[in-house]
């Protein structure tokens, strides 16, 4: 993998010129001016589309010249298609953990519960696809109550940075009350 990045860094292909003049625009974010010299490229136009397509073509030609590209692609595809688990959280009688099972529905993480670390039998506590069949909702984080009776789960929709929090009863696998309207908090 490192060889691929070194090969990409050492080659210096001729990139197509940016269409038209770039003009720096700025926004005020939390009281701080942030400059964006590439804002003009966000405007849909034939020139911008052609430029983006030329960039894509150049990158793909370069990648194809890299030796062992097929083996790297196979390795990455294989690794991404494996189920993965996060470190479990234990509270009271429950063990809760994220798992990313790979399936035809994608690889969105689900939240599972087990009675203890040694138990293989587990129940799905929260599956975002059951909450939102469109697949736009993902689990962002969770926190167990000290005795493990409840878990608060954060959801984000369509990549938004707003988190909606929902409390669940870990014994019955049911939501309690309505979800919050959204917050910018990282953790509950």
């Amino acid at each position: 993998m490192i060889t691929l990045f070194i090969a990409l860094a050492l080659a210096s292909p001729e990139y197509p010129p940016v269409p038209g003049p770039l003009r720096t625009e700025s926004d005020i974010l939390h009281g701080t001016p942030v400059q964006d010299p590439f804002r003009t490229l966000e405007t849909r136009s034939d020139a911008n589309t052609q430029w983006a397509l030329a960039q894509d073509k150049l990158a793909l030609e370069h990648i194809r010249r890299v030796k062992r590209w097929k083996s790297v692609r196979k390795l990455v595809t294989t690794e991404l298609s494996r189920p993965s688990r996060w470190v479990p959280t234990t509270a009271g009688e429950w063990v809760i953990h994220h798992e990313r099972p790979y399936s035809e529905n994608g690889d969105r993480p689900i939240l599972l519960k087990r009675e203890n670390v040694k138990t293989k039998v587990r129940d799905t506590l929260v599956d975002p696809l059951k909450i939102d069949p469109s697949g736009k909702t993902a689990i962002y984080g969770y926190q167990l109550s000290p005795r493990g009776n409840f878990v608060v789960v954060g959801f984000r929709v369509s990549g938004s940075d707003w988190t909606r929090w929902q409390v669940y009863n870990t014994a019955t696998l049911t939501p309690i009350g309505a979800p919050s309207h959204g917050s910018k908090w990282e953790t509950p």
Side-chain angles (χ1 to χ4, degrees), residues 91-128:
E93 61 186 78
W94 300 111
V95 175
I96 306 288
H97 65 92
H98 252 118
E99 184 173 295
R100 190 182 76 191
Y102 191 79
S103 69
E104 66 279 353
N105 294 327
D107 62 348
R108 288 169 191 82
I110 60 174
L111 201 58
L112 300 169
K113 75 166 191 168
R114 294 183 291 168
E115 287 188 29
N116 60 54
V117 179
K118 295 178 183 176
T119 305
K120 298 235 183 225
V121 177
R122 56 189 200 255
D123 294 317
T124 300
L125 181 60
V126 179
D127 182 350

Side-chain angles (χ1 to χ4, degrees), residues 3-22:
T3 306
L4 172 66
F5 292 119
I6 292 172
L8 291 172
L10 291 177
S12 56
E14 188 65 37
Y15 286 99
V18 176
L22 291 178

Side-chain angles (χ1 to χ4, degrees), residues 34-97:
V34 177
Q35 295 187 352
D36 183 359
F38 300 101
R39 179 84 48 92
T40 53
L41 294 176
E42 295 174 12
T43 307
R44 289 185 185 246
S45 71
D46 288 340
N48 287 348
T49 302
Q50 293 305 317
W51 177 78
L53 291 172
Q55 290 278 354
D56 289 347
K57 181 181 176 188
L58 182 65
L60 287 173
E61 287 173 3
H62 183 65
I63 287 171
R64 285 188 187 113
R65 287 194 305 257
V66 174
K67 292 180 182 178
R68 300 179 60 201
W69 170 247
K70 287 182 182 177
S71 63
V72 169
R73 183 175 182 168
K74 182 179 177 185
L75 174 69
V76 170
T77 303
T78 302
E79 288 302 315
L80 290 177
S81 65
R82 289 187 183 173
S84 61
R85 291 189 179 102
W86 283 261
V87 176
T89 302
T90 305
E93 61 186 78
W94 300 111
V95 175
I96 306 288
H97 65 92

